[in-house]
Amino acid sequence: MQPLISLVIIDSDHSARTAIEATLRPFSETIGIVGSASDFSEGLGMIEKSSPNVVMLEVGDIQKGMQEVQLICAKFPRTSVIVSATEKSSDWILSLMRAGAVEYMLRPITQEELKQALQKVGRFLFTKGADDTPRGRIFSIYYPTGGVGTTTVAVNLAASLASEGTRVALVDLNLYSGDISTFLDVSPTYTLSSVTSNIERLDANFLMTVMTRHSSGPFVLTEPNEVDDAILITPDQVRRILEFLRGVFTYVVVDCGGPLAGCNLAIFESSDLILFTTTLSLPALKNSKRYLSAMERKGLRKDRVKLVVNRYLPKADIQVKDAEKVLGHTVYQTIPNDYIDVVGSINKGMPVVRISPGSPVSKAILHLAEMMTK
């Protein structure tokens, strides 16, 4: 029987390689070591030959380690990288995770720690195929103009949904002012326009090649680099992309904004839930009322459109009950105003639910994810 997880070890310490092999020997039916190398060049050859699910990479120099992780992730997007190092610095951990590593392990590695790390990666890699599971659910995060934090909600919701290894896609369909690449500090080779311009080639292999796997969990498809590229994207292309993503991922989170027409209507038609995100300010509520009424006239029922109040302050002049009365919608979830933690997470390129899971805004978004998946 072929093991479920194939593994390549790249480690300069012979005794460490031997210890990892001995640790994994009892699990040989599920984890198969297909290569063990003492240096990166040799290990890279093994990866090219065997296309393993996982690479265990020793890191002794942070800059070199980041480059090696980035190279593996770029050339082999289906391979997960677990790094091991003696350095306890949070800068090392964050830098290597941002480079694409899915786990950071302190040396020496214990059997239990290694087992847990591989179990986590295994859950991420080996969910049932699309033919065996219900179609994935699509959640769109929307407000017609900028400034209310839709991208903050989208990025953190996607990371929350992916927290247990669930396959999650995060797509930036805010075509003219998308910002997911900035929030996650990614500069992908391929963007949304790479998919739309090759729509006839769309299949699982092509999709996984062009999407960027962020260290916080989701597979990311970022906004077009050029405005001219965005103009060429059609509602039919959006429908096709979302329908395909639904067949590959358990959850698809879409960040969107702009007019209630064209591609946005295509997004809403495909969405299981639409999180209409607003704030408790007079201008935002006035605009929200106009658009919520228009959405209802277009057949988007209230049970599919959920009202989320972002940057919530309990002692603000306008209260939740006032907003509900004005908008004719019950508030689905409030997300506290947590400027310092949120801005800090954006500057670090990592969702706040990952770097400050105990913060009020993180707890609110994690609760939001729980409600949406019941």
Side-chain angles (χ1 to χ4, degrees):
M1 179 179 176
Q2 187 173 356
L4 290 176
I5 299 176
S6 54
L7 176 74
V8 165
I9 304 168
I10 305 176
D11 198 310
S12 63
D13 187 335
H14 180 266
S15 61
R17 296 199 308 276
T18 302
I20 293 171
E21 291 167 4
T23 296
L24 295 178
R25 200 165 290 128
F27 312 105
S28 59
E29 289 187 1
T30 54
I31 302 169
I33 299 173
V34 295
S36 180
S38 59
D39 63 72
F40 185 74
S41 178
E42 181 186 3
L44 193 62
M46 293 177 177
I47 299 170
E48 289 174 341
K49 182 179 180 180
S50 60
S51 298
N53 303 121
V54 182
V55 171
M56 289 202 63
L57 176 68
E58 173 207 14
V59 175
D61 176 270
I62 184 62
Q63 295 301 325
K64 184 170 178 285
M66 288 169 60
Q67 291 171 1
E68 290 174 350
V69 171
Q70 289 169 345
L71 177 60
I72 294 171
C73 292
K75 291 189 68 175
F76 311 97
R78 294 185 178 184
T79 297
S80 297
V81 182
I82 298 175
V83 297
S84 67
T86 56
E87 179 59 59
K88 297 180 180 180
S89 165
S90 59
D91 288 339
W92 272 52
I93 298 171
L94 186 59
S95 296
L96 288 162
M97 295 288 278
R98 283 170 59 181
V102 297
E103 284 289 317
Y104 184 99
M105 306 190 70
L106 285 175
R107 299 163 72 92
I109 303 169
T110 68
Q111 182 184 50
E112 187 59 29
E113 288 170 339
L114 181 55
K115 180 182 173 183
Q116 288 177 0
L118 288 169
Q119 283 176 337
K120 178 179 176 181
V121 173
R123 288 197 303 272
F124 178 71
L125 290 170
F126 297 103
T127 53
K128 290 182 180 179
D131 293 338
D132 302 320
T133 59
R135 296 194 321 150
R137 300 180 69 198
I138 298 175
F139 304 138
S140 53
I141 322 300
Y142 175 71
Y143 186 75
T145 62
V148 303
T150 60
T151 302
T152 296
V153 175
V155 164
N156 284 280
L157 176 63
S160 299
L161 292 168
S163 62
E164 293 300 324
T166 305
R167 292 175 70 87
V168 176
L170 173 60
V171 186
D172 200 331
L173 278 167
N174 196 331
L175 298 179
Y176 301 102
S177 55
D179 230 0
I180 282 177
S181 60
T182 302
F183 275 56
L184 294 179
D185 191 26
V186 293
S187 300
T189 304
Y190 305 104
T191 68
L192 180 67
S193 55
S194 307
V195 179
T196 56
S197 61
N198 292 277
I199 198 76
E200 300 305 325
R201 292 179 55 200
L202 190 58
D203 60 21
N205 289 331
F206 177 68
L207 191 64
M208 301 311 287
T209 299
V210 299
M211 295 185 81
T212 302
R213 185 178 59 205
H214 192 261
S215 58
S216 61
F219 282 77
V220 183
L221 191 57
T222 60
E223 69 280 3
N225 290 327
E226 303 295 338
V227 172
D228 289 345
D229 293 335
I231 293 171
L232 298 174
I233 295 174
T234 68
D236 183 60
Q237 289 174 336
V238 168
R239 289 187 192 92
R240 291 182 65 179
I241 290 169
L242 291 179
E243 191 61 25
F244 197 89
L245 289 169
R246 190 199 292 275
V248 176
F249 293 91
T250 307
Y251 300 112
V252 180
V253 178
V254 182
D255 184 15
C256 54
L260 197 57
C263 290
N264 280 327
L265 285 182
I267 295 167
F268 298 152
E269 288 167 9
S270 300
S271 297
D272 296 274
L273 285 179
I274 302 160
L275 296 187
F276 190 100
T277 306
T278 189
T279 59
L280 295 182
S281 69
L282 285 175
L285 291 177
K286 179 183 177 181
N287 208 30
S288 298
K289 184 174 178 61
R290 294 170 58 225
Y291 275 82
L292 286 168
S293 298
M295 291 170 79
E296 195 167 353
R297 288 195 300 271
K298 290 183 181 294
L300 298 169
R301 304 185 313 273
K302 285 187 177 182
D303 61 332
R304 288 179 59 212
V305 180
K306 303 296 185 182
L307 185 62
V308 173
V309 172
N310 194 25
R311 300 175 189 153
Y312 171 64
L313 292 169
K315 296 183 179 180
D317 292 336
I318 302 175
Q319 295 293 300
V320 166
K321 61 181 180 181
D322 301 322
E324 290 178 333
K325 185 176 179 180
V326 169
L327 300 178
H329 275 257
T330 301
V331 171
Y332 187 63
Q333 175 72 5
T334 59
I335 300 173
N337 191 19
D338 202 353
Y339 179 83
I340 293 175
D341 280 341
V342 170
V343 171
S345 74
I346 295 169
N347 290 338
K348 291 181 175 69
M350 186 66 65
V352 67
V353 296
R354 284 285 184 266
I355 60 175
S356 300
S359 72
V361 70
S362 295
K363 290 179 179 178
I365 294 176
L366 288 164
H367 183 248
L368 175 63
E370 290 175 4
M371 291 196 300
M372 295 176 72
T373 54
K374 283 181 179 178

